[in-house]
Amino acid sequence: MLAVTFGADHVVEALSMRGAALLGAGSDGRPLRESIPPGKLLEALDTVRRTGEPTAVPGLALPAPGVSGCLHVTPVGDGVLLHLEPDALDDGAARAAGFQRLTEQLSRALTPADIGRLTATTAAELIGADACAAYSREDGAEVLTALHDHGLRGTTLQRFTQVTLHRGRPMSDAVLTGEPVWLEDAVQWHARYPEMAPISVSEGLEATACLPLRVEDRDLGAVVFSFCRPRAFDPDEREFLMAVASLCAQALERARLYAAEHQARAAAERERDRMTFLAQASSLMEAPLSVEERLRQLGDLVVEGVADWAAVHLVRGTRVERVTVAHLDPAKVAFVDELERRYPPDPDAPGGAIEVARSGVPVVMPDVPDELLVASARDATHLELIRALGMRSAIVVPLVVRGRSLGALTLVQAESGERFTDEDLTFVGQLAATAALALDNAALYEQQRLVARTLQTALLPSELPDVPGVSCAGRYRPPSPDLTDVYVGGDLYDVHEDAERGRWALTVADVCGKGPEAAALTALIRHTVHAEVGHGLVPAEVLRRVNAAMLRHRGGNRARFATMAHAAMTVDAAGVAVSLVNGGHPPAVILRGDRVEWLEVPGTLVGVYPDVHLDDVRVRLDPGDALLLYTDGVTEARGPDGWFGSERLAALVASLAGASADEIADGVLTAVTDFQGGRLRDDVALLVVRVDP
Amino acid sequence: MNETRGGLWVDRTSDPDRLELALCGELDSDTLPTAQDEVAAAEAEAPPLLVLDLSGLRYVDSTGVRLVLLAQQVADDAGRRLAVRLGHGQTRRMFDMLGITGRLEVLDLEDGERS
């Protein structure tokens, strides 16, 4: 069918798509007299209306390529029905050309919707169907979904966008049996589908072909061609329609594979993006930042690509505190801050971060139901404000380390319209695990810092005692400034009073190695020196006791040794008398005026050999003279200019003539640090005593 | 010859009555594990004399002393000999300062002597 008209001007009452294309008529309600040129066709319409006798206009050339035929004009009430009967002679050729065209177009179609449209328009036109609909069926689904329908406006077809499969209906039968259903006229309709016949026939569709869309044994849907007039589907026509259906089915299968591949690629890309994201997150967790700052930056990272909102809560004692909330729009963050200030969060709210942080059980909310907002709102204003956040979907995962929940990570989707599902739990869980581990490391770091600080106070004097007539300065510097809080080195300096004998003990020691083991030896040395000095032993004897104590402690293992410079200092009216022993330690430096003397005293390192060679050496310091004891971190310092070395040290100390003990100590420490570009290779300990001038 | 990260090379020569490891480059806490592995491998062969040649080191700190002291202990416990070459530069000065040169069998104790 092409069109049905009414009245003398042939106003279009019904128009098929094909009619619109062939007649150039725009739409219903417009007179054909205005849209078709005067000539044979218009004359035929007028004649039929006047006489009430049907006629045919043979050999009519129509604008669509490959279509020619005999136009039948039949009187209908006060109007006419136009119907095209393709030329029998040209049928084969036209169909072959049309089939070719359809194949080409389908090969370019990528989506099921495009394929449905091409089938319902091009294929329908090709076979002269008045209406056509293509349906797709998802794997084993009981419902077919219309991809496209095309036909008389207002006909039955347009009402069925979803059709439930139901045995005993023509399309369902075609789909379920895999065999086409051919209904050539109203009689066959009534015979085979008595229930359906009245509906279909009353719509003016007399003949129908329902063809299943199948590729191998995969059932992809169906295509239905309908005709206004009875139609004998002869074997050629059946074969042709089945070929069209097969073409359509193959295109759908290709589209399905394409979509599956596309989806797989998208999934792979998403997975890759998430891996990249996790890598970024874990490198962030290793950054030298405070825990709070790391978590804040993690929140900022999350809102750059994973969620619209991110929040982190931490368990602190009996309370759960929000550490950060992040959104790309700072105004929204300010809004939440204000909201939580006005309405402090309820610690017992179900499914919230606080509950998850306590319970350690994650919560996924694909949809944030309004009832939840209503239930958690304190009053109408509060409800309005939380609704304004536009939360659509949320996921809350605990930060769990070694079975203990330290907090919760909350991600919320709002304006992006994205949605979290249970499948996201793995990824968000990994993210939370990264954050939790960093928290745990931070806790361990904190603990290590405490241990280091405790040990260091056991190793180094918090302040040096006041020695009348003498000023003392001690310095210790770990290899890297970042390590100041956690490094436990093996270097030691100390000044200790032997009140009974009116003497002062000076010690600088360097235990080989670092870490807790070295620290334990350093502590052993310090306490042994204190004890033996208290017993009134001379320096060489003190070192022998230290040596013996270390050997006992190490059980004969030679891996750990120490070098020490140790002196007993007595202050008298003329200055200071020093008795010094050196156990394998770098030589002491004496500064007299601007003159530098080396105090080379041979001696054996301590902690290795039961018999050590140690001698006391006496030396006097006059007012203004200074004695510098140091560890090999000074002379062994290496920089771009080579070794720091003893000559450079001597020159440096000479240049500090007249300086105070503190100035000398700082001068040496600064020079050594600068020499190595700010980064020490080894730790450094210094002790300077200067007789007041 | 094995080159390792941190620039320590260990050159190994052996004959029936001695095994000699020549350490070149830098010996500090970063390269100590490599040196220890080499020494442990040499000790496993139980040579009557193990020689550690430190004279070719560009840098050595107390780590090097630790290496020698440990090797000395192993040799003493097993009733074998350990000897060292210290050269006449920084390495020798460090061993002198620590007061242990006289407690080790130093093959190049005198100037120019090679054994």
Side-chain angles (χ1 to χ4, degrees):
Chain A
M1 194 213 73
L2 298 177
V4 179
T5 68
F6 169 82
D9 286 335
H10 315 295
V11 173
V12 175
E13 237 185 2
L15 185 70
S16 71
M17 292 290 187
R18 194 145 167 261
L22 294 183
L23 299 169
S27 63
D28 299 354
R30 300 280 306 274
L32 272 183
R33 193 178 294 289
E34 287 175 9
S35 54
I36 57 176
K40 244 181 4 181
L41 179 56
L42 204 53
E43 282 167 22
L45 289 176
D46 289 339
T47 311
V48 170
R49 191 175 166 273
R50 200 174 54 247
T51 61
E53 292 295 321
T55 186
V57 189
L60 185 75
L62 289 163
V67 180
S68 65
C70 183
L71 189 74
H72 291 258
V73 186
T74 316
V76 182
D78 193 24
V80 298
L81 170 75
L82 282 96
H83 176 77
L84 183 73
E85 203 68 62
D87 287 347
L89 280 178
D90 292 343
D91 244 20
R95 280 184 173 178
F99 195 77
Q100 183 71 29
R101 202 165 66 244
L102 182 64
T103 310
E104 233 172 80
Q105 289 173 342
L106 283 174
S107 73
R108 286 196 299 270
L110 289 178
T111 66
D114 282 347
I115 293 157
R117 184 179 51 76
L118 284 167
T119 309
T121 54
T122 309
E125 184 179 294
L126 193 59
I127 60 176
D130 294 309
C132 174
Y135 289 85
S136 74
R137 183 185 187 193
E138 294 298 319
D139 272 341
E142 287 304 301
V143 174
L144 299 178
T145 308
L147 292 171
H148 198 89
D149 59 60
H150 172 88
L152 284 173
R153 288 178 199 168
T155 60
T156 323
L157 287 177
Q158 285 183 334
R159 294 182 209 140
F160 298 115
T161 52
Q162 296 269 318
V163 176
T164 305
L165 283 175
H166 193 287
R167 206 169 267 284
R169 290 182 182 163
M171 181 166 72
S172 296
D173 283 355
V175 169
L176 295 171
T177 62
E179 294 297 326
V181 173
W182 309 102
L183 299 167
E184 298 181 325
D185 52 32
V187 177
Q188 288 186 9
W189 262 111
H190 283 289
R192 292 181 58 188
Y193 297 98
E195 283 173 44
M196 301 282 295
I199 308 168
S200 191
V201 174
S202 73
E203 295 281 350
L205 298 173
E206 292 242 348
T208 292
C210 298
L211 299 123
L213 296 174
R214 288 201 164 198
V215 171
E216 286 157 12
D217 56 352
R218 259 190 310 286
D219 176 11
L220 304 170
V223 59
V224 180
F225 295 102
S226 302
F227 304 84
C228 291
R229 290 156 61 93
R231 187 170 182 107
F233 297 109
D234 62 34
D236 279 355
E237 178 136 293
R238 289 184 183 207
E239 200 182 312
F240 177 74
L241 285 172
M242 284 162 75
V244 167
S246 160
L247 208 58
C248 173
Q250 279 164 22
L252 278 176
E253 173 69 357
R254 208 176 52 242
R256 194 183 65 83
L257 292 175
Y258 176 82
E261 190 195 315
H262 191 75
Q263 232 168 10
R265 198 179 320 132
E269 275 169 14
R270 203 162 87 119
E271 188 63 16
R272 193 198 56 205
D273 289 350
R274 289 185 156 186
M275 285 297 137
T276 312
F277 183 84
L278 279 178
Q280 277 177 302
S282 50
S283 69
L284 183 64
M285 290 300 119
E286 284 160 12
L289 301 168
S290 72
V291 172
E292 279 80 5
E293 187 53 32
R294 281 184 203 175
L295 294 174
R296 261 194 291 279
Q297 293 197 12
L298 177 70
D300 293 343
L301 189 64
V302 165
V303 298
E304 274 173 29
V306 178
D308 294 325
W309 289 92
V312 180
H313 289 75
L314 288 184
V315 177
R316 288 197 165 127
T318 56
R319 298 188 308 142
V320 175
E321 286 174 17
R322 198 195 76 200
V323 177
T324 184
V325 62
H327 189 283
L328 287 179
D329 181 359
K332 296 208 171 187
V333 174
F335 180 84
V336 167
D337 284 337
E338 175 60 18
L339 180 68
E340 294 203 351
R341 196 188 58 75
R342 281 177 67 181
Y343 299 95
D346 175 7
D348 300 318
I354 296 176
E355 193 201 352
V356 171
R358 289 221 168 93
S359 69
V361 179
V363 171
V364 183
M365 277 187 275
D367 293 287
V368 176
D370 193 57
E371 301 85 77
L372 186 70
L373 303 186
V374 172
S376 56
R378 309 277 167 76
D379 56 40
T381 316
H382 190 207
L383 179 60
E384 199 180 313
L385 293 174
I386 53 179
R387 272 182 180 151
L389 292 173
M391 295 187 287
R392 296 191 47 167
S393 181
I395 192 162
V396 190
V397 286
L399 305 175
V400 180
V401 173
R402 292 182 297 213
R404 209 160 56 90
S405 177
L406 306 177
L409 170 68
T410 306
L411 306 190
V412 174
Q413 301 292 18
E415 57 277 359
S416 67
E418 298 278 332
R419 212 163 278 265
F420 289 115
T421 65
D422 284 342
E423 285 167 21
D424 294 308
L425 207 49
T426 312
F427 166 66
V428 182
Q430 281 167 333
L431 190 59
T434 309
L437 204 59
L439 276 178
D440 194 43
N441 286 344
L444 290 175
Y445 185 82
E446 202 57 49
Q447 206 175 347
Q448 196 187 348
R449 205 151 75 160
L450 189 68
V451 170
R453 215 179 293 144
T454 310
L455 269 176
Q456 209 72 58
T457 52
L459 303 183
L460 297 173
S462 48
E463 59 178 7
L464 294 177
D466 283 329
V467 182
V470 174
S471 47
C472 304
R475 297 289 183 271
Y476 172 75
R477 175 73 62 85
S480 149
D482 320 339
L483 297 174
T484 307
D485 284 342
V486 288
Y487 187 83
V488 184
D491 282 9
L492 153 74
Y493 69 85
D494 199 10
V495 177
H496 170 238
E497 185 180 8
D498 172 13
E500 210 173 311
R501 277 156 284 269
R503 298 192 303 201
W504 303 86
L506 312 177
T507 309
V508 170
D510 179 359
V511 172
C512 143
K514 51 182 181 284
E517 230 181 316
L521 271 185
T522 311
L524 177 74
I525 291 170
R526 186 171 187 224
H527 298 302
T528 306
V529 169
H530 277 211
E532 302 301 347
V533 165
H535 294 149
L537 299 178
V538 296
E541 203 50 43
V542 170
L543 250 63
R544 280 190 191 96
R545 299 290 175 91
V546 169
N547 187 57
M550 284 178 72
L551 285 172
R552 278 197 304 275
H553 181 79
R554 299 305 302 159
N557 184 327
R558 292 178 190 174
R560 295 283 178 191
F561 61 87
T563 68
M564 288 176 74
H566 172 65
M569 175 173 79
T570 317
V571 183
D572 56 41
V576 163
V578 174
S579 175
L580 184 135
V581 66
N582 183 328
H585 203 73
V589 179
I590 298 173
L591 177 63
R592 301 185 194 275
D594 61 357
R595 209 158 39 80
V596 170
E597 289 174 19
W598 292 96
L599 205 53
E600 309 246 16
V601 186
T604 316
L605 50 76
V606 291
V608 176
Y609 303 106
D611 58 320
V612 281
H613 171 80
L614 296 164
D615 285 319
D616 285 311
V617 176
R618 291 165 194 281
V619 65
R620 276 205 67 86
L621 299 179
D622 297 328
D625 291 354
L627 169 72
L628 166 67
L629 304 176
Y630 56 93
T631 56
D632 65 1
V634 172
T635 40
E636 298 291 307
R638 193 165 56 153
D641 298 336
W643 308 107
F644 193 81
S646 46
E647 281 172 26
R648 210 182 298 263
L649 177 62
L652 171 68
V653 171
S655 76
L656 293 166
S660 70
D662 277 314
E663 286 164 351
I664 294 171
D666 288 334
V668 173
L669 196 58
T670 306
V672 171
T673 310
D674 291 351
F675 184 75
Q676 298 175 90
R679 218 171 176 81
L680 304 188
R681 191 184 178 96
D682 192 5
D683 46 354
V684 167
L686 295 173
L687 180 62
V688 178
V689 292
R690 182 169 185 257
V691 183
D692 293 340
Chain B
M1 182 166 318
N2 300 313
E3 182 173 347
T4 70
R5 82 194 156 81
L8 177 75
W9 294 260
V10 180
D11 193 4
R12 174 191 169 109
T13 51
S14 70
D15 56 48
D17 55 2
R18 87 151 69 183
L19 200 159
E20 184 155 349
L21 298 177
L23 282 68
C24 302
E26 300 182 3
L27 180 55
D28 55 19
S29 53
D30 290 340
T31 57
L32 180 67
T34 310
Q36 276 176 328
D37 288 350
E38 292 283 343
V39 171
E43 283 165 347
E45 292 177 29
L49 172 62
L50 174 62
V51 179
L52 298 180
D53 184 351
L54 309 183
S55 63
L57 287 170
R58 206 163 53 235
Y59 174 86
V60 60
D61 63 11
S62 56
T63 302
V65 178
R66 209 173 147 196
L67 183 78
V68 171
L69 292 177
L70 282 168
Q72 179 74 69
Q73 188 173 19
V74 169
D76 287 353
D77 292 350
R80 300 193 301 256
R81 278 171 68 207
L82 175 93
V84 293
R85 291 184 201 280
L86 301 174
H88 299 278
Q90 188 234 352
T91 306
R92 171 67 185 269
R93 280 197 297 279
M94 184 176 68
F95 278 77
D96 285 349
M97 187 185 81
L98 292 168
I100 58 173
T101 310
R103 293 171 185 266
L104 299 168
E105 183 178 344
V106 182
L107 299 180
D108 53 352
L109 197 59
E110 298 307 321
D111 230 342
E113 184 192 327
R114 300 290 293 181
S115 169

